[in-house]
């Protein structure tokens, strides 16, 4: 016997928790040829190492009408599978994986090499673990699922029983993990998982009971009772049954605050944090480079808390990057910069000077990285350049190029986390001209889909907000409403307070666009209060007065404002209209002559609309033609509504006013 047959047995991993697949030792997919080859492999995996007779394979593959040469065809399929699974097996030696035995064939895969079998083993083993270990083990087990079991053979009778068994075990595993989370003192985590679980599987009474208990232990008694009422209604409407005794007893216990529902006041999370922090302090040296990476990671989590957390995150992140550069290790600097992949939807930086420094650090690090540095590190640096540039820093061409390179790198690596980060950078660079809401909607759709599939909830929110903005631009408020509701639901589930700032402003925009001016003004003023303490100066500075001015333009009202109004960064494009309102026409003409073109950002069309109005009033024909050219691609949009925050009315109205004014002079 060839020595390689004894020693060089190739390890093949099989996957059935999703579409049936196989991978080699290095993780590369194994080509399984046509659907019949895949069906033979799937049928043998269903048999779980047992022999499947050839007549049974023929019947399962073709049903009651097999071809005349069915047996020979099955043998051909098996031979093809053997070549794919064991390409290095010497000729004329027996297969050690797909074996011939008695009247048929068996796949002798090891239990550790089939994802469904590993899943079952992990679930069984978790029964003897402590809650914290059980949560980790069950989470790993659930992450093995790529989709429904044997997804590409859902209609095959021979797969039906195994598919049902595995699906039922998965549902039970989700509930067992929730029980472990409750035992661990993490009811909020359990509630977040169970909420989606009962929405997909409303007949699971145990899941409803666990969700109610998790909400109650999270201090949400009213929500817990509401969940139980919803369970009762769904069970009656869909199954025609009343809730079982366990659900009814849980409702009664919650109403009377039964002692056994709450394990006590101890703050397990705080205890875990304190113990882990102490261990980190004692085990990781004070000057260790690991601390810089840890700091950047913590700042990423801190940033989404809003307010002071966001401001502190920006400050400490910049300090960590500067410290990493001082150490002279470009790969460390790349990790410190790249780990801060916080989603961003607003196109004006909260701290432009710091953003410019970060872009500079990223560019320097890109130049210093050695040739063998991981591609993911380069892609994250490129995404940072695109994201932090936000279309407002010099050399926008470089930022757009960096965005495309980052996205291409993420796609090559098939890295979902990196891809959504890179797409966020690409979104920031889609403002080279007006009228690109459709392109941004496509980016938002991909971010949403990838993030939802991989559990990246902060980016799933980002995707919905980008799509909200894009649909606002085209006045599709029905779709925008759906994205706002989805973003709000995710924000509530995952404690993301800054999301409400954008959805509150969106609803003010919708009111302003569809209702009378006084209602729009009230809505904008109410929305402005959501910015108090949000820690987003790049968004809040000058936004309310700009929204109110645009509201007046939308309704054809004269531009008026308090002379002491702080217009923030929008002052250059607002000032000409204000001067005209004061009767200072010559000053307005001089100001218009020096005003720069609006930056490429979410308010690009709104600011051009302000300039267009002023240009018409002072008969500045060159500026009118520039405004006409700039706004032309967005004729079908609402000016400024791409921001999801405000609008100056239909772009078509501004273009028509420009065309009329230019036509008068031409005649």
């Amino acid at each position: 016997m060839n020595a390689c047959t004894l020693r060089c047995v190739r390890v093949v991993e099989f996957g059935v928790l999703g579409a049936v697949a196989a991978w080699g030792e290095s993780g590369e997919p194994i080509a399984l040829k046509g659907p019949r080859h895949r069906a033979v492999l799937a049928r043998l995996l269903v048999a779980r190492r047992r022999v499947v007779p050839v007549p049974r394979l023929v019947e399962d593959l073709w049903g009651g009408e097999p071809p005349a040469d069915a047996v020979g065809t099955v043998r051909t399929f098996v031979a093809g599978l053997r070549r794919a699974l064991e390409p290095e097996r010497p000729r004329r030696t027996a297969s050690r994986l797909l074996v011939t035995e008695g009247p048929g064939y068996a796949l002798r895969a090891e239990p550790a090499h089939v994802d469904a079998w590993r899943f079952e083993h992990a679930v069984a083993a978790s029964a003897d673990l402590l809650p914290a270990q059980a949560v980790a083990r069950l989470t790993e087990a659930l992450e093995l699922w790529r989709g429904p079991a044997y997804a590409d053979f859902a209609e095959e009778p021979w797969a039906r029983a195994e598919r049902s068994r595995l699906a039922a075990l998965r549902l039970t595993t989700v509930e067992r993990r929730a029980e472990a989370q409750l035992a661990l003192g993490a009811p909020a985590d359990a509630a977040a998982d169970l909420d989606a679980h009962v929405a997909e599987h409303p007949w699971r009474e145990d899941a409803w009971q666990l969700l109610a208990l998790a909400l109650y232990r999270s201090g949400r008694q009213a929500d817990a009772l509401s969940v139980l009422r919803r369970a009762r209604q769904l069970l009656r409407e869909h199954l025609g049954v009343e809730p079982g005794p366990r659900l009814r007893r849980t409702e009664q216990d919650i109403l009377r605050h039964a002692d056994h529902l709450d394990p006590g006041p101890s703050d397990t999370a705080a205890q875990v944090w304190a113990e882990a922090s102490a261990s980190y302090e004692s085990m990781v040296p004070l000057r260790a480079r690991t601390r810089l990476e840890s700091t950047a990671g913590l700042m990423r989590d801190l940033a989404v808390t809003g307010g002071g957390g966001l401001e502190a995150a920006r400050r400490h992140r910049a300090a960590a990057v500067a410290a990493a550069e001082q150490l002279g290790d470009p790969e460390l600097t790349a990790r410190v910069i790249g780990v801060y992949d916080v989603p961003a939807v607003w196109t004006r930086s909260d701290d432009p000077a710091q953003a410019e420094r970060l872009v500079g650090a990223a560019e320097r690090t890109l130049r210093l990285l050695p040739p063998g540095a991981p591609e993911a590190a380069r892609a994250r640096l490129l995404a940072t350049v695109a994201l932090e540039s936000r279309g407002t820093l010099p050399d926008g061409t470089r930022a757009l190029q960096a965005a495309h390179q980052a996205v291409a790198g993420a796609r090559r690596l098939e890295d979902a986390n990196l891809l959504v980060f890179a797409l966020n950078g690409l979104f920031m660079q889609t403002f080279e001209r007006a009228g690109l809401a459709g392109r941004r909607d496509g980016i938002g759709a991909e971010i949403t889909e990838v993030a939802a599939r991989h559990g990246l909830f902060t980016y799933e929110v980002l995707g919905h907000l980008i799509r909200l903005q894009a649909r606002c631009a085209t006045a599709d408020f029905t779709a925008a409403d759906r994205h706002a509701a989805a973003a709000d639901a995710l924000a509530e589930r995952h404690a993301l307070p800054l999301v409400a700032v954008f959805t509150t402003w969106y609803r003010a925009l919708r009111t302003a666009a569809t209702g009378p001016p006084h209602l729009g003004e009230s809505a904008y003023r109410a929305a402005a209060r959501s910015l108090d303490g949000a820690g987003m100066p790049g968004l809040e500075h000058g936004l309310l007065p700009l929204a109110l001015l645009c509201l007046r333009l939308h309704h054809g009202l004269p531009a008026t404002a308090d002379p002491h109004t702080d217009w923030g960064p929008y002052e250059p494009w607002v000032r000409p209209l204000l001067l005209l309102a004061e009767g200072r026409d010559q000053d307005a003409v001089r100001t218009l002559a020096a005003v720069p073109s609006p930056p490429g950002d979410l308010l690009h069309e709104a600011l051009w609309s302000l300039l267009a109005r002023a240009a018409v009033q002072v008969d500045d024909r060159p500026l009118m033609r520039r405004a006409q050219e700039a706004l032309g691609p967005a004729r079908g949009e609402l000016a400024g509504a791409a921001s999801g925050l405000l609008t100056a009315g239909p772009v078509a109205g501004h273009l028509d006013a420009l065309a009329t004014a230019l036509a008068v002079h031409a005649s």
Side-chain angles (χ1 to χ4, degrees), residues 65-375:
E65 299 181 3
D69 60 344
V71 171
T73 303
V74 166
R75 288 175 178 150
T76 301
F77 292 154
V78 169
L81 281 172
R82 282 172 171 163
R83 285 193 297 273
L85 299 176
E86 298 178 278
E88 298 173 0
R89 179 171 56 89
R91 293 175 60 83
R92 303 186 184 281
T93 59
S95 171
R96 305 186 65 184
L97 184 58
L98 205 171
V99 302
T100 302
E101 187 171 312
Y105 302 102
L107 187 71
R108 301 299 193 196
E110 293 298 322
H113 297 159
V114 180
D115 58 1
W117 305 349
R118 291 203 310 276
F119 170 72
E120 293 175 81
H121 176 74
V123 172
S126 70
D128 299 324
L129 299 177
L130 295 172
Q133 298 168 313
V135 168
R137 191 70 177 271
L138 293 172
T139 298
E140 289 176 4
L142 289 167
E143 287 173 351
L144 293 171
W145 286 74
R146 297 170 287 114
Y150 295 92
D152 33 358
F153 300 101
E155 305 303 321
E156 299 294 342
W158 49 265
R160 192 171 299 140
E162 183 70 354
R163 278 171 48 85
S164 298
R165 186 183 69 81
L166 288 169
L169 182 58
R170 180 184 178 278
L171 298 181
T172 301
T173 302
V174 172
E175 292 157 16
R176 284 181 56 182
R177 181 176 64 174
E179 290 176 342
Q181 287 170 323
L182 288 171
L184 187 60
D189 293 341
D193 294 337
L194 289 166
D195 191 39
H197 182 62
V198 298
E200 293 182 23
H201 311 286
W203 60 89
R204 305 281 296 186
E205 287 197 44
D206 285 352
W208 285 108
Q209 189 268 340
L210 286 167
L211 176 57
L213 182 58
L215 290 169
Y216 180 82
R217 290 187 181 177
S218 300
R220 299 166 60 185
Q221 179 185 356
D223 289 338
L225 292 170
S226 175
V227 156
L228 293 169
R229 286 193 292 271
R230 183 153 52 101
R232 183 187 303 112
Q233 180 181 359
L234 287 169
L235 290 169
R236 284 174 177 169
E237 290 180 357
H238 294 281
L239 298 180
V241 299
E242 292 294 325
R246 201 173 167 199
L247 271 183
R248 295 198 301 271
R249 187 166 58 250
T250 298
E251 184 173 24
Q252 294 167 1
D253 288 345
I254 288 175
L255 286 168
R256 64 186 179 86
H257 299 285
D259 291 341
H260 69 85
L261 292 180
D262 197 331
S266 60
D267 189 343
T268 308
Q271 181 181 353
V272 170
W273 174 265
E275 292 176 358
S277 299
S279 297
Y280 190 92
E281 287 289 334
S282 62
M283 299 302 295
V284 180
L286 183 62
R287 303 179 66 85
R289 299 179 177 203
T290 305
R291 290 201 172 200
L292 286 177
E293 292 184 66
S294 300
T295 298
L298 282 171
M299 293 311 101
R300 175 187 56 199
D301 297 335
L302 182 62
V304 299
T305 64
L310 179 56
E311 294 169 352
R314 286 196 298 267
R315 184 171 65 253
H316 294 305
R317 178 205 183 189
V321 170
E325 279 204 285
Q326 289 174 8
L327 291 173
D329 182 344
E331 294 194 52
L332 170 66
T333 306
R335 293 195 298 271
V336 171
I337 292 174
V339 75
Y340 191 89
D341 52 358
V342 177
V345 74
W346 190 239
T347 47
R348 183 174 291 274
S349 176
D350 291 319
D351 189 336
Q354 184 189 93
E356 193 166 2
R357 288 194 296 272
L358 286 167
V359 170
E363 293 282 27
R364 286 190 297 274
T365 306
L366 278 166
R367 291 192 294 270
L368 292 170
L369 278 177
E375 184 178 4

